[in-house]
Structures are given as structure tokens and as C-alpha cells.
Amino acid sequence: MKMSNYQRLHPLVILKKSISWAFSFVLILIFDTLRNTSNKSDWVFSITIFGGLIVLAVIFNTYHWFTFKYAINPTTLSIKSGIFFKHEQTIPFSRIQSVHQESWLLFRPFRVVKLTIETASSSSKVESTILEVVSQSTYALLEKLRLGKNVPADIELKPINKQHYKSQYSVSMNDIIVFSLVDFNIISGILGLTAVFYHFSDFADKYLNPFLNKIVASGLLLLISFVIIIVILAILGSITKNIFKYYKFNAQRELNHIIIERGFFTRTTLSIPIERIQAIRIKGSLLQILLHIKTVELLLASGKESEDKENAEDTTFFLFPIINSRLLSEKLAQILPEFTETIAPKTSQSFPCLPHYFLFSRFQFLGLLLLVPLFFWNNNWSFLLGIAILLFTLLFVINSLWKTKSQSSTYYEKQLLIIRTVHFFTLTEYLCPLNKIQSISISTTPFLYQQQLGHTTFSLKTGETALEIKLKYLSWSICKDIKEACSPKIRKYTFKKTKKYIP
Amino acid sequence: MNTYSLLKNKMPPSIKKAWIIKDLISFFVSIIVIEAVGFLANHFWHSTWINQSIIILISIATLITLFSLISIPYRYFFHRYEINQTEVTIQTGFFFRKTTYIPLIRIQHIETSQGPILRFVHLTELSIHTAANTHSLSGLDIKIAADLRTQILELVEVIREDV
């Protein structure tokens, strides 16, 4: 490749980086001024230091902008950086796991975006290359080359033509609100807030007891209204967060890639090659099942790591954040026909997973042992605690009964394995392509083996960790059958007993 | 009831020696650590609880080591592996029996490592990395490890697949 192909990032990167650095300095500044507000000269001093730091940030980022160069070649992406320690990196397009495009609301008039290119470079580490601020046409060029449309690099590119894409799945505002309401996050948020509240109420109880006794009637009313306000605030917060996150959510199929767009403030565009999808997870919590809706996620070998806390939970890629369960198979067949039953309706084989109610729930009864110390410990709380223990045991027993009832696995010849289990009151269905199952283990104990029972565990790669899906208490022959069906078949291979490879 | 099917290959018998040495070393190290902490605690505080807890901890360590030493023949008997044309199979455990099947084409790379104990008994540890996780065979002959490597190299020529 010629040197002239290399180009720098958009100069706005200096501004963006410096602003984000300045934000982190502001926190220090605030702490510093809070520490000593009365002394004026101290105040001026910290402002001066702050200014100096910003100047340093600008200088450093300018240097970084000046030395960082990238080039998009017909089959690879090359990156050069540094003056003293020169670093050069070449990424073949075939190794790319996914491409993210994020555009800031403020930078949208300038037609610039942030690109994150992810590769699964080694077995445990996920590596991503970030082009902080590049013009939008770079993404279009990269995508065209990756998707196999042969465009010479020097041809002037038109911005992406929106009419050309056929939208196949989108989320309405109504859906987002329903999604936020049934999301588990909201429940945990409320629990967290009430925990904080109870913590403070305990504190109040200790120190303000005499005062509280006087206004106990009005205080109780205040308490309840306070709790209600907290709940409403948590719900509203969750809804607004999700509206901004899934604003104009859109998933579509483009050749052998899936393209997902979402977001209001930062518009994110994800492009994922189909053959890089490790599995698809379809989740339905108890509430969702009652409302006939489901959530579909893509599991990838790379998990997007974001620097800022705001997007820390961005490791799951929603394909359909919320979808009617009746529509699900139809939509999935449109966008991902590889993962549906339509591929091979005749060659499917279902492995029976008979329910074992007692085996599944037996360890949950151990929770009842907690009642024994409670019996000796005389306190007015012990009755309540006992009831709580009983309720939790009942809950876990019901969960495990549901788990054993809904466990199932279906095999589609040479393609797909569908596994259904229950995790924490959430019915989860995994659609795993057979060639993504990394290993299978069968485990048992002498006691279980006597009854010809065993567990089967499938390992898949998701993000930086392994995903283990376990089917429990299957009959031993079924375990063997599943293993036999899922292990890769290799033909035309004869193992030569030669030693020529040993040096 | 039919008997639990075991795989073909056992570890080399010298692995038992390595396990015994490992158990004894960890036993002595834990005794030394317990005694050292107890000595320091006695130096700074004065309580009868310290000496009592030292005795309890030492007896726990002794029991664990004894159990581990007694179970070595069982561990040896149930720790097996098999390599065929398509997959590596590893079997472990007497109470919690587990058989793991790793297809050869899913193997990303193989790592051999040899600590001082394994070097003493002339064995190597073999770690098999797939994209998802790592499986290890705790002791293998150097020759068998080389054989396995050859087999996988041959297979890589036949079929190549990505994560």
C-alpha cells in the first residue's frame, strides 16, 4: 500500500478528547473548592491549575491526532501511531467481529462518527480498535468493502442512501415503555432505593425515637407517600433512559450482516456478520410471558467494552428488545433464517427431558434448616423471619419445578441446537449453531449414575467469559445422544501415523 | 445397573508421586503459615482463643491432607483421557464424575507447562484452549504430548474454522 493512503482522524477529535478530559478534571476542581471555600487565593490557584491541565490535554491530544493515522485498504484496515515508539496494526476484514458506529448529537452537523472495530484476537481477550472521530463516509466505505461490494478506495462516496435499506424491525415508543416497565432493572432499582430508605429509617429510629413516637400517625403517611414517590421516580427514570437508548431502534438484514441502529444522544449503528453470532438468546420473564412478549439478544464472541460508566451494561446486543411472542418466529425467519426451523423442518430431532420434580427441588428444602436456630432464638422478629424463610423456600422450589418442567432441547441436523431452560424465573431459549459449541461435558455422581442420570453442559464463547448452558438430570442415554449429535462430523479425513511434523 | 464406562488411557503412574509431593508441600506450607500467624497474634494480643484456633486450623489442614492422600488412588483411577480422530476426551472425579469432550477443530492452541514437581517426575501439564475455556490434563508423557500436537497440526491442515 502507498503511504498516501494513510489519513488522520477528523480534527474535532482534539476538541472531543479535551472536553472529556476536562470533565474528569472538573470533579477534582469541585472537590478542591469544596475543601476550602473561604480562602480566595486558594480558589484562584486551583483555577490556574485547572487551566494548565486543560492546555496540557489539548497539547497531548493534538500530538495524538498528529501521529495517529489510518488507512482503509480493499481487504484490510491499517493503523499507524506514535513517533518514538511506532506502532502499526493491520486488521483483515475477515477477522472483524462487529463494527459499531456512534454519533454524538452535538457532532451530527459535522457528519462525524466514532467507529469501534472489534476482533477476538486471542482466546481470552477481546480487542477493539477505536477510530475516535472520523467522517461518516469512512464508515460507509468500510462497510461497502466489508460487505463485498467492490468499490475502489479512491472513488468519491455518496452518503448512505436511507431508501436503499428496507427496515425490517423497529420499536415504537409504546414498546419501549412496556419494555421499561417489565424490565428486571426497574425492580432492582426500586429494591435498591427502598434498601437505602430503610437504612435511613433505621438510623432515624435510633436517634429520633422520641420525636418519631409523637408524629407516628402522620409519619407513617409521609413514609408511604415517600415510598410511592421513589417508585414513580424509578419507573420514570427507567423509561426515559430506555427511550434515549432505544430511540428509533431498527434491526435489518444486509447481505450476510445484521445492522442494528439505536439511540438519541449517541446514535449507535452496529454491524455484525451472521457467522460471528455465537448464539441467540430469547428471554421471557414471568411478567413478560403473561403479556406475551419476549426479548431477543445476540450473543457475540466480543463484548463491547465502553470506557464510560453510562454504557457499562452494553455487553448484550438486543436484536429485538421487545417483541410479541406470536410475531417472533416470523420476524426471526425474515432477518435470520439461519436460526429458525424453516431451514430444515424435517430433520429436527427432539431429545426428551423428563421432569424430575424431587431431584430438582431437593436441595432447596435445605433452606428450611435455617428455621432450627430461629426456634431457639427468641425475638419478636423471629416469627417474621420464619415466614420469610418459608416463603423463599417455596419460591425456590416453585422455580426449580418450573425449571424441570420446561427443560428441553431440539436438534436440527448439522445446523442448530435449541436449548430451553429457566434461570431465576426467566424462561430462556438458546439457539446455538452447532459449530459454535466449543465443548460438551457430561457429569454425574455415583448416586445419579445408579439411576442412569447425568447433566450435560455446553460451553460457548460470549464476551470475555465462557457461557455454560446446563441441562440437568437427563437420562444417561440422552446425554450420550446429545453429545453424539452435536460433536462435529469430519469426513474425508484419515489420520496418518507419521512423525514428519515432529522437528 | 451397568458399570460406569471409563476411558482408555490413564495418566502415567508417576503422576501419583507428583500428587503426593504436592499435597505434602501444601501441607507444610499451610502449617508454617498458621504457626507464623499464631506467633504474631500471640505477640500482640493475649487470649486463649489464639492457641485453640491454631490447634483447630492445624487439625483441619491435617484432615484435608490425609483425605487428599487417601483419595490419590481413586483420583488416579478415575482421571483418564482419550484422543481419537475427532476429539479429546477428559474424564475426572470419583464423586462428581465429569467427562468433557473437546472437538479437535475447536481447539485454538495447546500449551505445555512444567513446574518443578512435574519436572522431578519427568511429566508435563497440557492445557487445551478452546475459544471459550481451558481444559488441562495434569500430567502427560512428553512423547504423548508431542503426538497430540502432531495430530492436531494434521487436522488443522484438513479443516479450518473460526470463532
Side-chain angles (χ1 to χ4, degrees):
Chain A
M1 269 296 123
K2 279 176 285 171
M3 286 294 284
S4 57
N5 263 345
Y6 280 95
Q7 48 187 317
R8 297 204 174 89
L9 297 175
H10 199 281
L12 274 174
V13 71
I14 303 169
L15 183 69
K16 189 189 170 187
K17 277 274 191 184
S18 305
I19 287 172
S20 71
W21 282 37
F23 266 120
S24 47
F25 296 149
V26 159
L27 260 180
I28 302 167
L29 186 77
I30 287 170
F31 277 122
D32 197 48
T33 45
L34 278 180
R35 189 173 52 88
N36 203 349
T37 39
S38 53
N39 199 341
K40 207 192 166 205
S41 66
D42 218 39
W43 222 74
V44 172
F45 182 64
S46 30
I47 290 272
T48 323
I49 287 185
F50 182 61
L53 282 174
I54 286 180
V55 170
L56 266 180
V58 170
I59 290 171
F60 182 82
N61 286 316
T62 313
Y63 163 77
H64 202 76
W65 166 75
F66 193 73
T67 54
F68 189 92
K69 286 176 183 174
Y70 70 95
I72 298 173
N73 307 323
T75 53
T76 57
L77 172 77
S78 321
I79 283 161
K80 275 209 272 193
S81 58
I83 281 182
F84 300 112
F85 298 99
K86 289 211 172 180
H87 184 79
E88 215 172 320
Q89 195 182 9
T90 307
I91 305 160
F93 288 155
S94 57
R95 293 278 157 181
I96 292 173
Q97 297 275 336
S98 62
V99 176
H100 307 246
Q101 177 201 250
E102 280 166 66
S103 69
W104 266 22
L105 185 70
L106 295 176
F107 282 0
R108 225 163 280 167
F110 300 103
R111 295 193 151 275
V112 289
V113 293
K114 173 183 173 183
L115 285 186
T116 310
I117 294 134
E118 288 188 328
T119 52
S121 56
S122 72
S123 58
S124 58
K125 220 173 80 189
V126 171
E127 204 159 273
S128 60
T129 310
I130 299 169
L131 300 177
E132 196 67 55
V133 180
V134 291
S135 77
Q136 213 163 33
S137 60
T138 312
Y139 173 72
L141 173 64
L142 187 69
E143 281 304 277
K144 288 216 168 184
L145 289 172
R146 277 185 64 218
L147 293 172
K149 298 171 197 160
N150 263 327
V151 179
D154 44 6
I155 278 181
E156 188 76 19
L157 270 160
K158 284 167 271 172
I160 317 167
N161 187 2
K162 286 284 174 199
Q163 263 90 55
H164 163 75
Y165 288 168
K166 192 183 161 243
S167 162
Q168 284 186 315
Y169 169 79
S170 52
V171 173
S172 68
M173 200 61 95
N174 205 359
D175 284 343
I176 297 174
I177 291 167
V178 177
F179 173 69
S180 327
L181 285 176
V182 297
D183 197 12
F184 185 71
N185 276 341
I186 196 161
I187 297 162
S188 61
I190 291 168
L191 279 178
L193 280 171
T194 40
V196 167
F197 177 73
Y198 271 117
H199 184 76
F200 278 105
S201 78
D202 193 46
F203 167 82
D205 203 46
K206 234 181 220 169
Y207 297 97
L208 305 171
N209 211 6
F211 178 69
L212 267 175
N213 276 341
K214 266 184 218 165
I215 50 154
V216 73
S218 60
L220 207 68
L221 207 71
L222 211 77
L223 225 132
I224 290 165
S225 53
F226 192 58
V227 166
I228 290 170
I229 286 169
I230 282 178
V231 167
I232 288 170
L233 275 181
I235 291 170
L236 282 179
S238 163
I239 289 174
T240 24
K241 196 188 123 202
N242 282 326
I243 284 175
F244 286 131
K245 202 169 164 190
Y246 299 112
Y247 176 77
K248 280 193 179 170
F249 184 97
N250 195 348
Q252 70 215 354
R253 176 73 181 259
E254 172 93 1
L255 295 175
N256 56 350
H257 285 234
I258 279 192
I259 291 165
I260 297 169
E261 287 175 77
R262 62 170 177 82
F264 180 73
F265 285 120
T266 49
R267 187 105 184 120
T268 311
T269 310
L270 269 147
S271 157
I272 302 156
I274 303 285
E275 75 269 14
R276 296 285 186 242
I277 296 171
Q278 305 290 311
I280 290 182
R281 178 160 59 190
I282 303 168
K283 287 207 287 199
S285 64
L286 215 56
L287 201 58
Q288 283 178 322
I289 287 168
L290 286 175
L291 292 168
H292 292 291
I293 50 177
K294 280 189 171 163
T295 301
V296 183
E297 293 167 13
L298 298 178
L299 302 179
L300 302 181
S302 61
K304 185 177 174 265
E305 295 172 283
S306 24
E307 314 82 272
D308 37 12
K309 259 189 206 153
E310 200 187 325
N311 302 341
E313 66 228 49
D314 248 9
T315 44
T316 50
F317 300 92
F318 287 111
L319 181 63
F320 311 135
I322 187 163
I323 192 164
N324 193 309
S325 38
R326 280 184 293 268
L327 273 173
L328 175 65
S329 56
E330 186 197 320
K331 277 284 177 194
L332 206 61
Q334 274 177 22
I335 294 183
L336 279 168
E338 288 88 344
F339 286 86
T340 48
E341 290 127 47
T342 52
I343 39 157
K346 278 175 194 163
T347 47
S348 74
Q349 183 193 349
S350 175
F351 294 109
C353 305
L354 296 172
H356 292 276
Y357 296 109
F358 177 65
L359 284 175
F360 256 90
S361 57
R362 60 195 163 144
F363 289 118
Q364 315 297 342
F365 290 114
L366 287 179
L368 292 177
L369 283 178
L370 284 171
L371 286 173
V372 175
L374 215 64
F375 185 74
F376 295 103
W377 185 46
N378 221 341
N379 192 310
N380 35 1
W381 283 101
S382 59
F383 180 69
L384 259 165
L385 260 172
I387 294 221
I389 289 169
L390 279 176
L391 272 178
F392 270 104
T393 312
L394 191 69
L395 215 63
F396 283 121
V397 168
I398 289 171
N399 186 31
S400 50
L401 294 185
W402 187 22
K403 198 169 188 167
T404 179
K405 194 94 176 75
S406 55
Q407 227 181 205
S408 80
S409 67
T410 318
Y411 163 76
Y412 293 95
E413 180 135 27
K414 285 176 198 154
Q415 290 280 340
L416 200 65
L417 185 75
I418 299 184
I419 306 164
R420 193 154 56 138
T421 73
V422 169
H423 288 302
F424 305 113
F425 295 99
T426 309
L427 188 69
T428 318
E429 219 172 336
Y430 294 95
L431 315 182
C432 319
L434 287 184
N435 63 345
K436 301 297 181 203
I437 295 172
Q438 300 292 338
S439 66
I440 297 174
S441 4
I442 301 173
S443 49
T444 185
T445 61
F447 166 71
L448 284 178
Y449 192 74
Q450 216 168 5
Q451 303 176 51
Q452 290 289 299
L453 293 173
H455 317 299
T456 306
T457 313
F458 305 89
S459 309
L460 291 147
K461 183 176 166 67
T462 52
E464 299 200 353
T465 48
L467 169 75
E468 309 239 301
I469 310 168
K470 199 167 188 180
L471 288 173
K472 285 169 116 179
Y473 305 107
L474 307 183
S475 109
W476 189 256
S477 57
I478 292 293
C479 284
K480 288 280 180 200
D481 285 351
I482 290 178
K483 186 252 138 195
E484 212 50 59
C486 295
S487 58
K489 319 269 181 302
I490 300 160
R491 291 207 194 87
K492 290 187 240 160
Y493 168 68
T494 43
F495 179 55
K496 293 161 271 174
K497 278 256 185 273
T498 50
K499 300 274 177 188
K500 63 178 175 181
Y501 294 103
I502 294 176
Chain B
M1 191 202 99
N2 48 357
T3 46
Y4 186 59
S5 64
L6 288 163
L7 297 174
K8 201 169 58 189
N9 303 320
K10 284 185 185 180
M11 297 280 149
S14 47
I15 188 78
K16 282 196 265 189
K17 216 194 283 175
W19 283 340
I20 291 170
I21 295 169
K22 206 174 161 189
D23 279 347
L24 289 178
I25 286 176
S26 56
F27 174 67
F28 284 120
V29 166
S30 58
I31 293 283
I32 288 165
V33 167
I34 290 166
E35 283 292 341
V37 170
F39 176 77
L40 284 175
N42 265 327
H43 195 266
F44 290 110
W45 299 286
H46 295 285
S47 167
T48 47
W49 276 100
I50 294 169
N51 286 327
Q52 279 173 21
S53 49
I54 286 175
I55 292 166
I56 290 167
L57 282 176
I58 286 180
S59 50
I60 287 172
T62 319
L63 277 177
I64 288 172
T65 312
L66 270 180
F67 180 76
S68 182
L69 284 174
I70 290 168
S71 68
I72 277 179
Y74 292 98
R75 223 194 314 171
Y76 176 70
F77 189 74
F78 282 93
H79 195 85
R80 291 174 184 232
Y81 70 96
E82 201 173 295
I83 300 154
N84 64 17
Q85 288 198 11
T86 53
E87 60 194 5
V88 181
T89 314
I90 300 171
Q91 196 169 45
T92 51
F94 171 65
F95 291 110
F96 298 100
R97 296 166 180 178
K98 189 174 180 183
T99 316
T100 308
Y101 302 89
I102 312 149
L104 286 184
I105 52 167
R106 301 275 177 270
I107 294 173
Q108 299 268 320
H109 65 277
I110 293 181
E111 212 175 87
T112 53
S113 56
Q114 197 180 37
I117 302 170
L118 283 182
R119 199 174 306 152
F120 178 69
V121 292
H122 305 291
L123 292 176
T124 54
E125 186 181 335
L126 198 82
S127 307
I128 300 164
H129 293 254
T130 65
N133 36 25
T134 308
H135 311 271
S136 64
L137 276 166
S138 52
L140 275 185
D141 248 18
I142 294 159
K143 193 181 150 294
I144 290 170
D147 273 358
L148 176 65
R149 210 195 56 167
T150 321
Q151 196 170 350
I152 288 156
L153 268 176
E154 274 192 15
L155 202 97
V156 164
E157 280 183 11
V158 177
I159 188 157
R160 182 91 198 99
E161 245 183 280
D162 249 329
V163 185

